[in-house]
């Protein structure tokens, strides 16, 4: 007789089964969801209107239609108005409305249409392009229905969610689905951490709320992936925990105030991890440190790998900018870095980020080679790296337009097909450090290569400076 194994799967402590109907929830929440209508003046030059029908020369209809079309043709010098539609939701009974930044960006007029079709003019309190969140205010004497934010960090993959919004201008549409994934990076900004859902989201849903079964907003619907233009079950929402902080700042200051560490960072791949002696690829590699910034004042240096911030682990580079941005300005936090084979902790007082600096290091090289090497200058071939280098001198400064303060060794030739070529190294790039040791001449480079070979390392870590700034590059060691 065959044995039968019975597998029993029990629901988790926080899991909730789908209700028989979402009707009660939809009826309760829908009044707080609004339609957003915007108008924007655009140039009229390209719109020539309909063409005049062709008639035989001298036809009595020719003059008639010419006069008619000339009278009704749009004036190319006169701007016309373009309209767009989106969604939003009321978060305060006094008239504060949340939507996406891209819904109201560049709008000349914004109208909020309530659930009962009341139309109210809205003004922008503040907006933030990096998280695609905007806060509006409408004036009305009546108390408005409002919804509250939930804790998006508690939302789990597989949880039921409800999306309410204004797809294609239809208004008041409700769809249900589950959370399909967390922490999605769709390359829309430095703080991407989207919730993915299969609840149907279409154009016009942008800015609308994503609710959990408790009726709390856990996300702001912001984008869809669609090869067809319609919903294919892949929508993205800004997590409520990120949005709440932005909205608080917009309401209080009219702008977003973010924490600032004062570092430029890049990802740690397997080769960089190997060259540093890290057990696995993790953390954020510090490419450069701003002078007199919070990190510099605390003692953090280029080449450090940030693996912990304020008691939380930094598993990958893109998590750190969000952690720092969400930290209160002026707060002193513990930052754990990996340096010289061991972890060290630093006390860092978080500063305020100016809106323009970039959070991550540029990973591009110079592009096309500016000039070819003219030979001489004591250049030395470094076979295992597939390149030739020379000490910085007057002739090379002039040849490659190097700044007066350039230090290190200059790359004067890169072998075609080498790992260096594939990683984007170009003649004129300056190697500042190797294996976190300063190099000033070709002999230093050879010495670091020999040390890496003796330590059975598969690659070496270079700190390279070019027109794009400083960046770390791990190069595989060849046979030379």
């Amino acid at each position: 007789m065959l044995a039968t194994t019975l597998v029993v799967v029990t629901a988790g402590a926080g899991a909730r089964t789908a209700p028989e109907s979402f009707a009660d929830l939809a009826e309760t929440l829908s009044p707080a969801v609004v339609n957003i209508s915007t108008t924007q003046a655009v140039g009229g030059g390209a719109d020539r209107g309909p063409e005049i029908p062709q008639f035989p020369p001298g036809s009595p209809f020719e003059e008639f239609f010419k006069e008619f079309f000339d009278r009704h043709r749009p004036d190319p010098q006169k701007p016309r108005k373009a309209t767009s539609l989106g969604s939003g939701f009321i978060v305060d009974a006094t008239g504060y409305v949340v939507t996406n930044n891209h819904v109201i960006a560049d709008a000349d007029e914004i109208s909020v249409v309530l659930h009962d079709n009341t139309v109210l003019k809205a003004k922008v309190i503040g907006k933030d392009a990096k998280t695609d969140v905007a806060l509006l205010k409408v004036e009305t004497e009546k108390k408005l229905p409002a919804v509250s934010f939930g804790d998006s960090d508690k939302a789990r993959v597989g949880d039921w969610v409800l999306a309410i919004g204004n797809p294609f201008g239809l208004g008041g549409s409700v769809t249900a689905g589950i959370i399909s994934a967390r922490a999605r990076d769709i390359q829309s900004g430095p703080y991407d951490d989207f919730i993915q859902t299969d609840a149907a989201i279409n154009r016009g849903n942008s800015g609308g709320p994503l609710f959990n079964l408790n009726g709390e907003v856990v996300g702001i619907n912001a984008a869809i992936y669609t090869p067809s233009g319609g919903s294919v079950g892949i929508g993205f929402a800004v997590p409520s925990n990120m949005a709440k902080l932005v909205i608080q700042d917009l309401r209080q200051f009219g702008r977003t105030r973010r924490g600032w560490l004062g570092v430029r960072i890049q990802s740690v791949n397997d080769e960089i991890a190997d060259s540093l002696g890290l057990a696995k690829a993790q953390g954020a590699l510090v490419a450069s440190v701003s002078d007199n910034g919070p990190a510099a004042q605390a003692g953090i240096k280029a080449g450090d790998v940030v693996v912990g911030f304020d008691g939380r682990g930094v598993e990958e580079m893109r998590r750190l900018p969000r952690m720092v941005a969400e930290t209160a300005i002026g707060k002193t936090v513990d930052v754990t870095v990996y340096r010289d084979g061991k972890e060290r902790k630093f006390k860092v007082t978080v500063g305020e980020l100016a809106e323009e600096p970039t959070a991550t290091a540029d990973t591009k090289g110079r592009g096309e080679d500016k000039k070819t090497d003219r030979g001489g200058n004591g250049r030395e071939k470094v076979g295992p790296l597939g390149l030739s280098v020379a000490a910085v001198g007057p002739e090379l400064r002039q040849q490659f337009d190097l700044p007066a303060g350039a230090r290190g060794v200059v790359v004067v030739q890169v072998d075609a097909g080498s790992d260096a070529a594939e990683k984007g190294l170009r003649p004129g790039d300056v190697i500042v450090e190797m294996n976190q040791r300063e190099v000033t001449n070709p002999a230093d480079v050879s010495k670091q290569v020999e040390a890496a070979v003796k330590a059975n390392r598969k690659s070496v870590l270079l700190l390279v400076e070019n027109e794009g700034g400083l960046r770390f590059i791990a190069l595989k060691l060849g046979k030379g």
Side-chain angles (χ1 to χ4, degrees):
M1 181 180 294
L2 295 175
T4 301
T5 302
L6 178 63
V7 179
V8 179
V9 180
T10 58
R16 292 184 60 180
T17 58
E20 293 182 2
S21 171
F22 293 99
D24 290 341
L25 200 58
E27 184 178 1
T28 302
L29 301 174
S30 291
V33 182
V34 301
N35 299 341
I36 306 289
S37 174
T38 67
T39 60
Q40 177 184 356
V42 297
D47 187 2
R48 297 179 52 84
E51 293 297 323
I52 301 175
Q54 296 299 310
F55 297 98
S59 168
F61 292 103
E62 183 180 33
E63 189 63 29
F64 170 78
F65 277 102
K66 181 178 185 302
E67 181 182 347
F68 177 83
F69 278 90
D70 285 346
R71 189 164 62 247
H72 292 86
R73 192 183 301 278
D75 184 351
Q77 302 302 320
K78 184 178 180 181
R80 56 188 176 85
K81 286 188 175 182
T83 62
S84 61
L85 299 172
S87 305
F89 54 100
I90 303 167
V91 293
D92 189 300
T94 60
Y96 285 96
V97 177
V98 172
T99 187
N100 285 145
N101 172 69
H102 78 260
V103 169
I104 55 91
D106 302 321
D108 296 315
E109 296 179 2
I110 304 172
S111 297
V112 169
V113 184
L114 303 181
H115 188 65
D116 61 3
N117 292 322
T118 300
V119 179
L120 301 172
K121 293 295 181 184
K123 67 175 181 179
V124 178
I125 299 300
K127 53 187 179 179
D128 179 54
K130 291 181 178 178
T131 56
D132 199 15
V133 173
L135 182 64
L136 311 177
K137 181 71 165 62
V138 296
E139 298 297 335
T140 179
E141 294 181 358
K142 62 181 180 181
K143 185 177 180 181
L144 298 175
V147 291
S148 59
F149 284 105
D151 186 350
S152 58
D153 287 344
K154 292 182 179 179
R156 302 164 60 201
V157 172
D159 281 351
W160 281 97
V161 286
L162 207 65
I164 306 180
N166 182 30
F168 303 111
L170 295 173
S173 291
V174 181
T175 57
I178 63 169
I179 292 177
S180 307
R182 296 293 313 268
R184 286 297 197 207
D185 181 1
I186 62 173
Q187 305 296 311
S188 69
Y191 308 116
D192 278 15
D193 191 37
F194 288 96
I195 294 172
Q196 181 182 323
T197 178
D198 68 351
I201 294 173
N202 287 284
R203 294 178 182 178
N205 274 106
S206 290
L210 189 71
F211 292 104
N212 62 20
L213 292 189
N214 294 324
E216 300 167 326
V217 178
V218 291
I220 304 173
N221 300 321
I224 59 174
Y225 173 79
T226 171
S228 64
S231 174
V232 294
I234 302 178
F236 302 99
V238 181
S240 60
N241 285 6
M242 177 188 293
K244 279 188 291 188
L245 297 173
V246 173
I247 292 165
Q248 288 171 7
D249 279 349
L250 295 180
R251 186 167 179 175
Q252 185 174 357
F253 305 105
R255 63 183 179 86
T256 306
R257 300 171 75 244
R258 291 189 172 94
W260 178 57
L261 202 56
V263 296
R264 298 179 73 234
I265 57 176
Q266 66 182 76
S267 298
V268 177
N269 56 29
D270 290 336
E271 293 176 357
I272 290 177
D274 176 74
S275 65
L276 291 173
L278 275 168
K280 63 177 182 177
Q282 64 173 335
L285 178 60
V286 178
S288 63
V289 181
S290 301
D291 292 339
N292 298 318
Q297 293 177 7
I300 294 174
K301 303 188 301 183
D304 289 344
V305 178
V306 180
V307 294
F309 182 86
D310 198 18
R312 294 174 288 173
V314 180
E315 292 299 319
E316 53 185 357
M317 181 270 287
R318 70 184 185 90
R319 305 293 295 175
L320 182 60
R322 180 188 170 188
M323 290 179 180
V324 177
E326 293 177 349
T327 303
I329 296 165
K331 180 180 179 181
T332 299
V333 299
D334 286 329
V335 177
T336 305
V337 306
Y338 180 87
R339 179 192 295 177
D340 295 331
K342 59 184 179 181
E343 291 187 356
R344 298 182 58 181
K345 281 191 177 182
F346 295 87
K347 296 284 187 182
V348 181
T349 301
V350 176
E352 181 176 355
L353 174 69
E355 284 304 305
E356 290 303 319
T358 304
T360 58
D362 188 349
T363 57
K364 297 180 180 178
R366 282 178 181 260
E368 296 182 0
D369 299 351
K370 292 176 71 71
K371 298 177 183 177
T372 56
D373 178 43
R374 293 198 292 260
N377 295 304
R379 77 176 188 177
E380 182 174 320
K381 175 74 173 179
V382 187
L385 299 183
L387 48 79
S388 297
V389 297
V392 175
E395 187 174 350
L396 290 179
R397 288 184 194 276
Q398 181 179 7
Q399 178 181 346
F400 294 112
D401 296 330
L402 300 178
R407 58 187 178 87
V409 296
V410 185
V411 176
V412 293
Q413 182 179 329
V414 180
D415 295 347
S418 66
D419 191 42
E422 292 181 3
K423 297 287 177 59
L425 257 70
R426 299 288 185 269
D429 288 350
V430 178
I431 301 173
V432 180
E433 294 180 0
M434 283 188 66
N435 296 330
Q436 299 181 303
R437 299 290 186 272
E438 185 177 359
V439 291
T440 58
N441 56 64
D444 290 340
V445 175
S446 298
K447 181 179 178 182
Q448 290 302 322
V449 169
E450 291 173 4
V453 171
K454 288 181 180 178
N456 293 320
R457 294 278 173 81
K458 297 177 182 179
S459 57
V460 292
L461 187 66
L462 279 60
L463 178 59
V464 177
E465 185 172 21
N466 56 27
E467 293 169 345
L470 287 166
R471 62 175 174 139
F472 282 96
I473 301 174
L475 293 185
K476 295 177 182 176
L477 289 169
K479 295 181 179 179

